[in-house]
Amino acid sequence: MDDTYLVEIRLARTRWRVKIITRAIAQTSGAERYQEQHPHVTLYGPFTLDDPRRLQFLLDTIGMIARTFGSIPFTIDGWERRDGMHGGVVAFSVRPSPALAELTATLARALSRFTVSLNGWDLQPDKKWFHVTIANRLPPGKSEEISSRFAAPEHDVLSRPADGSNITGLRTRILALVQRAGFLRRHHHGGPIQPVLLDDDGLRITVMHNEEILGEYDLLSHRWLKKEEIYDPRAWQQSMALYRQCAGFELSAPVVHGPDQIFLIADLHLGHANIIWYCSRPFVLSDVAEMDRVLIANWNYCVAPPDQVFFLGDLRYGRDARPEAEYRTLLNGNITFVAGNHDGNIRTAVPSALLACDGQEFILIHDPADAPIGFSGWIIHGHHHNNDLRAFPFINFAKKRINVSAEVVGYCPVSLQEICRIIRSQAIGSGKSLLLRHPVVD
């Protein structure tokens, strides 16, 4: 097809993780030639212009619509297989936010007036299939073969066997290591591929002309990027910084709070560049110092010097990270360190701690698998980051677990009092797990 166009949002924070998973699935199923090279969510198209001279009008229309939006959140949730116009399709399922659904519908209404869409969903945007393609144009039977490797969602990979052992906790840690070291390659030989659950935000709208980028609109600075900016890592770093500020992941002023607050956070991993890729953090791999600066500033904007803080493990990691003692001098608060698996040099760290608040009992521990068997209170933990949000969301009401890893609590310490308020508000609610805690932005 000559002179076709496509309007899409390419993945931002999750791009590396999704590409690694996609590549592993394609390689282990012999589907490399069908693999999607640029993970994205399609907004409109592919389509053709009814008049090629209306190219600038196309960009102007998209820009006029896009300037009314900010970053576009969505959730990647599991797998899906469908038959497309040109063969089988295997994809990550996407749960759209209201903003993504509205942007898609608005674009469809405006662009359909002067384009000819080759995608039937554009005529029914309210029924659109949102997805991120893993492989497409698959021959008969290939999509079924690939999807047969996918496991159904596991609601709780840490539930203990009746004998009280911790087989599944060990399995979780092994899978995490496998995913980070070889990312699914060895895992394919040992069992089905577990479904992902990742949150992301579209930061730019990309307009494709055949196989080339025609233009890219930055949703944070509200402008079309110059050609050289599209591929410039420094421009991407600026987009990511604007996103952090808008999302509340990078604070700029102290957060006012009442007295006697107790703050909690885990897994800062200061100095650890690869954690940016592993856990889809909103930073760039080339500037770990920027990540450290933001995480430390967020801590100090939330925590005053006299406040009590419990840090639940893994303060720093890697040979390029500064010593723990040096990081400690940069952080406000009266800090109790709960030992993580990367905290061997913190001599004052304790294995766990008990707290009571609002009639609830809490145990604070790095790895929830190490909590005492039979403990009937709430387990506050880290360790899992955002690598298994299905089992370890911010608050799992059914299992009475609270994940305060930095990625899950929005890179800002959360107070125990806030957690108690959330628990109390859910006492008469559905009890459905709360996936993420994002700081409130005025």
Side-chain angles (χ1 to χ4, degrees):
M1 294 183 294
D2 294 331
D3 290 322
T4 58
Y5 300 85
L6 183 72
V7 185
E8 64 186 28
I9 285 180
R10 294 194 174 183
L11 303 190
R13 292 179 289 124
T14 62
R15 177 171 48 188
W16 180 82
R17 291 173 74 176
V18 166
K19 288 187 76 169
I20 291 294
I21 298 170
T22 297
R23 186 182 307 125
I25 292 171
Q27 289 176 348
T28 57
S29 59
E32 293 98 324
R33 61 181 293 191
Y34 308 105
Q35 175 187 336
E36 174 60 53
Q37 299 299 322
H38 302 289
H40 65 274
V41 178
T42 296
L43 299 178
Y44 185 80
F47 63 92
T48 60
L49 288 172
D50 58 6
D51 184 347
R53 293 172 297 181
R54 306 192 77 176
L55 192 57
Q56 188 58 51
F57 182 68
L58 168 69
L59 298 177
D60 290 343
T61 302
I62 294 171
M64 181 180 63
I65 293 169
R67 70 185 180 190
T68 64
F69 290 84
S71 59
I72 305 294
F74 55 88
T75 303
I76 299 171
D77 185 4
W79 325 103
E80 205 163 346
R81 175 182 66 82
R82 295 199 183 187
D83 293 323
M85 295 183 294
H86 305 286
V89 180
V90 176
F92 299 96
S93 299
V94 168
R95 282 196 275 123
S97 64
L100 177 56
E102 181 184 353
L103 173 62
T104 303
T106 305
L107 285 170
R109 286 194 297 269
L111 300 185
S112 61
R113 296 168 187 165
F114 60 95
T115 68
V116 178
S117 176
L118 306 176
N119 187 339
W121 298 110
D122 292 333
L123 300 176
Q124 299 176 298
D126 57 323
K127 299 180 180 179
K128 185 178 179 65
W129 177 33
F130 290 97
H131 65 282
V132 175
T133 300
I134 297 171
N136 60 10
R137 299 177 180 269
L138 293 164
K142 194 64 175 178
S143 62
E144 292 92 334
E145 176 192 337
I146 295 173
S147 61
S148 68
R149 301 170 181 265
F150 298 154
E154 293 184 20
H155 296 289
D156 181 19
V157 297
L158 195 66
S159 56
R160 297 180 186 275
D163 63 2
S165 62
N166 191 34
I167 295 173
T168 49
L170 177 61
R171 175 175 173 271
T172 299
R173 291 195 292 272
I174 291 172
L175 284 180
L177 290 172
V178 170
Q179 288 176 336
R180 290 184 181 185
F183 230 100
L184 297 174
R185 291 182 185 177
R186 283 176 285 168
H187 180 37
H188 283 320
H189 300 293
I193 306 166
Q194 299 303 320
V196 296
L197 181 59
L198 304 169
D199 71 301
D200 204 346
D201 291 76
L203 306 186
R204 296 177 178 180
I205 294 176
T206 303
V207 181
M208 300 295 297
H209 178 207
N210 297 330
E211 300 298 321
E212 301 294 328
I213 294 179
L214 175 65
E216 200 157 74
Y217 186 90
D218 191 299
L219 288 160
L220 284 308
S221 60
H222 297 291
R223 65 186 180 90
W224 288 101
L225 299 174
K226 299 176 182 177
K227 204 72 173 179
E228 60 270 18
E229 289 180 300
I230 295 175
Y231 304 100
D232 186 352
R234 293 170 298 181
W236 180 251
Q237 188 170 14
Q238 292 169 2
S239 295
M240 196 68 79
L242 285 173
Y243 164 68
R244 290 195 307 270
Q245 294 157 17
C246 293
F249 297 153
E250 181 174 343
L251 304 181
S252 59
V255 177
V256 178
H257 61 270
D260 303 320
Q261 300 281 299
I262 297 173
F263 290 94
L264 307 150
I265 193 169
D267 300 302
L268 290 186
H269 280 245
L270 297 170
H272 186 196
N274 282 341
I275 201 71
I276 295 169
W277 275 358
Y278 291 153
C279 295
S280 305
R281 291 188 172 186
F283 302 93
V284 294
L285 189 69
S286 60
D287 196 350
V288 69
E290 180 179 56
M291 178 185 76
D292 287 0
R293 176 187 62 77
V294 171
L295 293 179
I296 292 169
N298 283 353
W299 176 303
N300 291 333
Y301 280 136
C302 291
V303 178
D307 288 334
Q308 187 173 10
V309 187
F310 286 85
F311 181 75
L312 274 59
D314 290 359
L315 178 66
R316 45 86 70 196
Y317 185 70
R319 62 184 180 183
D320 296 326
R322 288 180 276 178
E324 284 90 349
E326 186 174 343
Y327 285 124
R328 172 64 186 87
T329 64
L330 302 174
L331 299 170
N332 285 346
N334 178 19
I335 307 172
T336 298
F337 289 95
V338 175
N341 51 300
H342 297 304
D343 291 328
N345 296 327
I346 301 180
R347 291 178 295 177
T348 59
V350 298
S352 64
L354 290 171
L355 291 175
C357 179
D358 199 25
Q360 303 286 347
E361 186 178 12
F362 301 88
I363 186 168
L364 280 51
I365 199 162
H366 179 65
D367 185 347
D370 295 329
I373 296 173
F375 178 72
S376 60
W378 290 81
I379 300 171
I380 302 182
H381 67 89
H383 187 60
H384 287 279
H385 297 259
N386 57 353
N387 289 319
D388 189 1
L389 288 173
R390 209 178 301 277
F392 302 100
F394 172 41
I395 301 183
N396 185 327
F397 292 96
K399 299 299 178 182
K400 299 180 74 172
R401 288 197 299 255
I402 300 162
N403 181 358
V404 295
S405 291
E407 302 85 3
V408 176
V409 295
Y411 308 96
C412 299
V414 58
S415 75
L416 184 61
Q417 288 77 4
E418 178 184 337
I419 289 172
C420 287
R421 284 195 298 272
I422 296 172
I423 292 173
R424 189 166 58 248
S425 71
Q426 288 292 323
I428 57 174
S430 66
K432 185 178 180 181
S433 292
L434 184 59
L435 197 64
L436 297 161
R437 176 259 185 181
H438 286 176
V440 176
V441 182
D442 294 331

